[in-house]
Amino acid sequence: MHVNARSMAVNIIITSSLNSFASERRFNIVDSIAQLKSKLELITGASWRTMILELFNDEGKFIKSLNDDSATLSSCDIKDEMRIHVIESNPLKKKGEFEDVSQVEKYEMSEEDYGKRANSARAFLEQQRKLQSHQQDDQDKEQQLAAESIKVGCRCEVTLPNSPPRKGLVMFVGETKFKSGYWVGVRYDEPYGKNDGSVAGYRYFDCPPKYGGFVKPSLVKVGDYPEDNLLDDDEM
C-alpha cells in the first residue's frame, strides 16, 4: 500500500512566550508530543522539560492544552494551519533573551592574533599591495633598461597606442618631477606634442609650443629617422 508522504505531515504555526515572532513548520503526524517538544526546544529556546503546549485553531480560538506526551499529533487531531503556542514555565527564562544579541558574549581578537591570520581581509590586501609593488618594480626596471639605451640628441620614432608613428629628436632622458619613473622628452618634427618642453612650470628642454612631449622609454626607438622633407624637390 502506497502512502503519500505529504499526507503524513502537517503544517503548524509555532509561537512562543520567549519570542516575538511566529514561524511555520512541518511535522510528521505520527510524532508524539514528547518528540514534538524536543523539536520545539531548538525552534523556540524553551526547555522541553518545562514547556507547556497550547493548541489553537486557524481562527485563533483556543482548543486545548497538549499535556499527554505519549499522544501523537494525529490522535490530538492537529490539522494544517493550526497554531501551537509554547509557554516556558521556567521563570528564569525571559521573553526576548534569544533575540537580544547585546547579551551575547562577543569574541574580540587581538591585533597580534589577527595579524597572524593567513586568510583575513588584511592579509589579502597586503598580498595585493605586495603584488602590485612587485609589478611596479618590474615595470620600473624595464623602463630604466630601455632608458639606458636612449641618448639625448638621437633621432627617434615614438609609437603611442592608437596613433601613427611620430618622428623627433630626443631632448631629455631621466626621472621627472611631474611623475615617478623614467621618461623621455621628445621634440617632435611636427606639432604632435602637448607642451614646449616644460611641465607644471618646470623646464626640461626648449622647443616651440605643441612640439614637446614626454613618453615612456619603451615607446621610443632610436635610429636613423631623418626629418620628412616637406618640400617638393622640384620646387624651391
Side-chain angles (χ1 to χ4, degrees):
M1 176 180 178
H2 176 72
V3 179
N4 189 335
R6 294 186 62 86
S7 67
M8 297 292 291
V10 62
N11 290 326
I12 304 173
I13 307 299
I14 305 298
T15 58
S16 168
S17 63
L18 295 179
N19 303 313
S20 58
F21 56 87
S23 62
E24 184 174 356
R25 299 303 174 99
R26 194 170 180 83
F27 299 97
N28 197 311
I29 60 175
V30 300
D31 282 351
S32 67
I33 297 301
Q35 291 174 314
L36 176 64
K37 285 182 177 180
S38 66
K39 295 176 181 179
L40 293 176
E41 184 174 39
L42 298 175
I43 298 171
T44 66
S47 171
W48 68 271
R49 297 178 183 274
T50 55
M51 71 171 59
I52 299 172
L53 304 184
E54 293 182 342
L55 180 65
F56 295 79
N57 65 15
D58 57 357
E59 296 179 351
K61 182 180 178 181
F62 174 75
I63 299 176
K64 61 182 176 181
S65 296
L66 305 175
N67 299 321
D68 185 358
D69 286 347
S70 63
T72 64
L73 274 62
S74 177
S75 66
C76 292
D77 200 26
I78 298 177
K79 297 181 174 59
D80 283 339
E81 305 307 322
M82 284 188 169
R83 178 169 65 92
I84 292 179
H85 184 63
V86 181
I87 300 174
E88 174 57 80
S89 61
N90 183 351
L92 297 179
K93 290 192 175 183
K94 299 179 181 180
K95 183 175 181 178
E97 67 175 288
F98 296 101
E99 301 174 24
D100 187 2
V101 296
S102 67
Q103 302 300 317
V104 179
E105 183 178 355
K106 299 177 179 62
Y107 171 70
E108 295 186 2
M109 183 180 295
S110 68
E111 283 290 322
E112 182 180 358
D113 290 339
Y114 184 72
K116 294 178 181 178
R117 290 175 64 97
N119 59 345
S120 66
R122 179 186 297 174
F124 173 76
L125 293 175
E126 180 63 20
Q127 290 173 356
Q128 291 297 108
R129 187 193 65 77
K130 290 181 179 179
L131 177 61
Q132 292 174 358
S133 178
H134 289 324
Q135 290 175 340
Q136 185 62 49
D137 289 343
D138 291 341
Q139 292 174 3
D140 290 344
K141 290 179 181 178
E142 178 183 344
Q143 296 296 340
Q144 182 179 359
L145 289 174
E148 290 175 353
S149 64
I150 301 173
K151 305 298 180 184
V152 171
C154 291
R155 292 288 301 170
C156 68
E157 184 178 74
V158 177
T159 304
L160 298 173
N162 303 317
S163 298
R166 304 172 182 179
K167 294 180 181 179
L169 184 69
V170 177
M171 301 292 291
F172 172 87
V173 181
E175 295 181 278
T176 65
K177 293 184 177 182
F178 60 81
K179 207 167 186 180
S180 63
Y182 284 80
W183 295 84
V184 177
V186 178
R187 185 184 70 191
Y188 293 112
D189 294 344
E190 297 186 53
Y192 295 133
K194 294 183 177 181
N195 55 63
D196 62 353
S198 65
V199 178
Y202 188 88
R203 180 162 298 281
Y204 296 89
F205 61 91
D206 292 308
C207 71
K210 300 294 184 180
Y211 278 78
F214 290 86
V215 294
K216 284 296 184 180
S218 58
L219 301 176
V220 179
K221 291 183 179 180
V222 295
D224 185 15
Y225 296 105
E227 293 186 52
D228 293 328
N229 187 356
L230 301 179
L231 297 176
D232 194 317
D233 288 342
D234 296 330
E235 184 179 81
M236 298 299 292

